[in-house]
Amino acid sequence: MWTLPRKRFAHCNNASSGDEKEIAVNIGGVRLVLCGDILNRYPGSRLAELVNCSTRSFDVISSLCDDYDPGKREFYFDRDPDSFKCILEVYYFGEIHMKRGICPICFIREMEFWKIDLSYLDECCKSNLTEKEEELAEIADKVKLILDDLDCDPNVSRSERWQKFLWKLMEKPESSLPARVIAVVSFLFILVSSVVMCLGTIPDLQVEDSEGNRVEHPTLDAIETACIGWFTVEYVLRLASSPNKVRFALSFMNMVDFLAILPFYVVLVLTYLGTAMMELVNVQQAVQALRIMRIARIFKLARHSSGLQTLTYALKRSFKELGLLLMYMGVGIFVFSALGYTMEQSHPETLFRSIPQSFWWAIITMTTVGYGDIYPKTTLGRCNAAISFLCGVIAIALPIHPIINNFVIYYNKQKVLETAAKHELELMELRALELAVKSSSRRCDAPGNAWEGGMRASRSDTHIQLLSRAHRTEREPVKKKSLT
């Protein structure tokens, strides 16, 4: 048991402040003696109201604490003593800091119980609270998606049920075994299409057409057509089953899917219909340019790879570090290219013809590539190259750690969110089982309806509970225990 140092209450021991101005509180088994003058610094708090409670009536005391011992004149609270130690700091220092290991959400509930405004929480602790609220919101979204997949509303029409079934089949591989098979087949088609695109550029695998032009092998062309057919059917089915078609069409990954199949049909139009409207040379140039757009198919792998999605998110979160890297490299390239041109200008066989031409040398030197097509020949130029090389290594190494750290944080966060969502679903099933058992004991003639009703109620309660944690707009009422 611990108590606050008495020297903090030295000014309370005068004649004007007697025993009535001191209260004894018991927080979860930890007893403290608090000075009323200190607590009255925040008159709206629960402790200040308890100090100023002059009536000492049963109803008033029961509304402020969990229990009261008239003999010891001690107030009992069934709260967390560690959180109360942090909350007590507001009376002495005017701000609150959460200790490490305390859940921010639970701490906010403690502050609401003690009627302490959230504005007294320090900014560093508010950032932790924001992160936890975002995590709870993501968990609620994951649980809602899973419940939407499991829920089967009998009031919907047959077409809507088929649309939802098709959407889960094409978009959510984890929903069923056929959906997982379709995802694997789509992944294989992406790989085959990418390999065929690469093999089609090998001269030994190309054939000559009737006009003597080298074109892709017919077998590779047939495989390409089959892959495009699969991508087209997949895109059309996903678009048709999408609940929000505008959002679906404007999504980045769906735009990539559309660009992956668009060149094939444009090439068909230009090949079979464009020859009558423009010269054949222009048609061939347009066809070759559109064939290059087929490399967009490789980005379709991100849809089926959580690792690529995590890497994309890490790079997105590291825009500041990447911008800093580009700034360092840009300044270094400009400085070292100008120095290299100045130092090499006097050499009769210099390769540095101008400063813009020296940019290429500075880029391949600072990035440690060094093709050797351009290099310094004077002693000062070589010293400049050595310094630029070292500066380039340092500039590239600086932002690497933050990028890796963002990758690890996001990856671990996704794992935690998935585990938390599964845990919430397990709790939901346990609540549903309890409700079903209670209902079946009352209604033995309809156990199936009892289980279904219990499951639906548990789903709703779990989802509402998660959303209320993540997006609180009203303070929760405090539950009081009756006085013993």
Side-chain angles (χ1 to χ4, degrees):
M1 181 164 55
W2 58 273
T3 58
L4 293 177
R6 291 293 298 172
K7 61 182 182 179
R8 291 191 174 185
F9 310 107
H11 62 283
C12 300
N13 296 333
N14 50 28
S16 61
S17 58
D19 294 338
E20 293 294 334
K21 288 296 183 178
E22 289 187 354
I23 61 172
V25 295
N26 191 303
I27 313 297
V30 180
R31 188 176 184 275
L32 299 93
V33 179
L34 304 176
C35 179
D37 292 342
I38 300 296
L39 300 179
N40 281 327
R41 293 177 179 177
Y42 297 94
S45 62
R46 183 178 293 271
L47 292 176
E49 293 178 358
L50 197 62
V51 170
N52 300 324
C53 179
S54 59
T55 58
R56 304 294 183 183
S57 63
F58 178 85
D59 295 335
V60 175
I61 295 178
S62 63
S63 64
L64 296 176
C65 64
D66 296 327
D67 202 354
Y68 176 63
D69 188 352
K72 298 181 180 180
R73 301 185 65 180
E74 186 173 346
F75 301 92
Y76 293 89
F77 295 90
D78 188 13
R79 313 300 299 185
D80 182 23
D82 294 331
S83 299
F84 183 75
K85 293 179 184 179
C86 302
I87 293 175
L88 202 60
E89 293 180 357
V90 72
Y91 295 99
Y92 298 93
F93 310 112
E95 60 181 6
I96 299 177
H97 290 270
M98 285 187 299
K99 291 184 178 180
R100 182 175 299 178
I102 298 179
C103 176
I105 304 299
C106 297
F107 189 79
I108 294 303
R109 293 179 180 176
E110 292 291 326
M111 292 184 63
E112 293 174 352
F113 174 81
W114 296 108
K115 299 182 180 180
I116 302 297
D117 194 81
L118 295 180
S119 60
Y120 294 108
L121 191 63
D122 193 69
E123 293 298 331
C124 62
C125 302
K126 288 181 180 180
S127 61
N128 295 333
L129 174 64
T130 303
E131 293 178 0
K132 289 297 181 181
E133 289 180 343
E134 291 177 355
E135 291 180 3
L136 289 176
E138 293 180 7
I139 294 175
D141 293 337
K142 288 181 178 293
V143 173
K144 183 177 182 300
L145 291 176
I146 296 176
L147 294 181
D148 291 340
D149 294 338
L150 296 177
D151 195 11
C152 185
D153 192 357
N155 297 325
V156 299
S157 61
R158 179 177 299 180
S159 61
E160 292 178 349
R161 287 199 298 267
W162 273 104
Q163 181 181 359
K164 188 174 183 180
F165 171 77
L166 187 60
W167 174 254
K168 292 191 295 184
L169 188 66
M170 303 300 299
E171 192 70 16
K172 299 181 179 181
E174 69 279 359
S175 61
S176 62
L177 180 60
R180 192 175 297 109
V181 172
I182 291 178
V184 173
V185 172
S186 180
F187 181 82
L188 294 178
F189 268 106
I190 296 173
L191 291 181
V192 171
S193 176
S194 302
V195 172
V196 167
M197 183 187 68
C198 297
L199 295 179
T201 60
I202 300 177
D204 295 338
L205 297 180
Q206 295 177 349
V207 296
E208 294 184 357
D209 57 4
S210 58
E211 298 179 357
N213 298 320
R214 301 192 66 85
V215 294
E216 292 184 359
H217 196 278
T219 303
L220 298 179
D221 197 12
I223 298 176
E224 174 75 10
T225 304
C227 294
I228 289 297
W230 170 267
F231 296 150
T232 304
V233 172
E234 180 188 24
Y235 183 83
V236 171
L237 291 178
R238 291 173 57 241
L239 178 61
S241 60
S242 174
N244 191 340
K245 294 178 173 53
V246 176
R247 183 179 179 183
F248 175 88
L250 297 179
S251 175
F252 174 75
M253 292 306 304
N254 295 327
M255 292 175 65
V256 171
D257 295 342
F258 181 75
L259 292 177
I261 62 178
L262 179 63
F264 178 82
Y265 296 101
V266 175
V267 167
L268 289 180
V269 174
L270 293 178
T271 302
Y272 295 102
L273 300 179
T275 54
M277 297 180 292
M278 62 179 68
E279 297 180 1
L280 183 60
V281 177
N282 296 331
V283 173
Q284 292 177 352
Q285 291 177 354
V287 168
Q288 293 298 328
L290 289 172
R291 285 183 180 274
I292 300 299
M293 294 180 60
R294 293 184 300 175
I295 61 176
R297 298 173 193 170
I298 198 65
F299 294 105
K300 290 170 63 68
L301 293 176
R303 182 183 301 279
H304 307 284
S305 175
S306 59
L308 290 177
Q309 295 175 3
T310 305
L311 179 60
T312 303
Y313 180 83
L315 294 176
K316 183 179 179 181
R317 291 290 300 269
S318 306
F319 275 159
K320 293 183 179 179
E321 291 79 7
L322 293 175
L324 188 63
L325 171 62
L326 293 178
M327 185 188 70
Y328 285 159
M329 295 297 294
V331 173
I333 289 170
F334 181 82
V335 172
F336 291 112
S337 61
L339 291 176
Y341 170 75
T342 304
M343 296 174 181
E344 293 292 318
Q345 189 177 10
S346 59
H347 197 280
E349 298 179 358
T350 181
L351 300 175
F352 294 79
R353 304 298 180 183
S354 63
I355 292 180
Q357 186 181 3
S358 303
F359 287 166
W360 170 248
W361 168 83
I363 292 173
I364 62 177
T365 302
M366 294 190 68
T367 55
T368 69
V369 177
Y371 289 114
D373 54 344
I374 179 173
Y375 55 89
K377 296 183 178 181
T378 62
T379 302
L380 291 178
R382 292 172 181 175
C383 293
N384 178 60
I387 297 175
S388 65
F389 168 78
L390 295 177
C391 292
V393 171
I394 296 174
I396 294 175
L398 285 177
I400 295 300
H401 178 71
I403 295 175
I404 296 176
N405 191 34
N406 290 334
F407 179 87
V408 174
I409 290 176
Y410 181 77
Y411 182 80
N412 293 335
K413 181 180 178 181
Q414 293 302 312
K415 293 296 182 182
V416 171
L417 291 178
E418 292 178 1
T419 303
K422 293 179 181 179
H423 180 66
E424 291 291 341
L425 290 176
E426 292 176 357
L427 293 178
M428 178 193 66
E429 293 178 358
L430 290 176
R431 296 191 188 99
L433 181 60
E434 293 177 358
L435 292 175
V437 171
K438 293 180 181 179
S439 301
S440 61
S441 61
R442 298 175 182 176
R443 300 178 181 179
C444 299
D445 54 338
N449 294 333
W451 169 261
E452 182 180 357
M455 191 67 180
R456 186 179 297 109
S458 178
R459 291 176 181 176
S460 177
D461 295 341
T462 303
H463 186 219
I464 293 175
Q465 182 180 5
L466 280 171
L467 290 179
S468 63
R469 291 185 204 166
H471 306 286
R472 286 195 309 276
T473 56
E474 298 180 357
R475 295 189 175 183
E476 301 174 356
V478 182
K479 296 181 180 180
K480 306 295 189 302
K481 294 184 178 179
S482 59
L483 294 174
T484 56

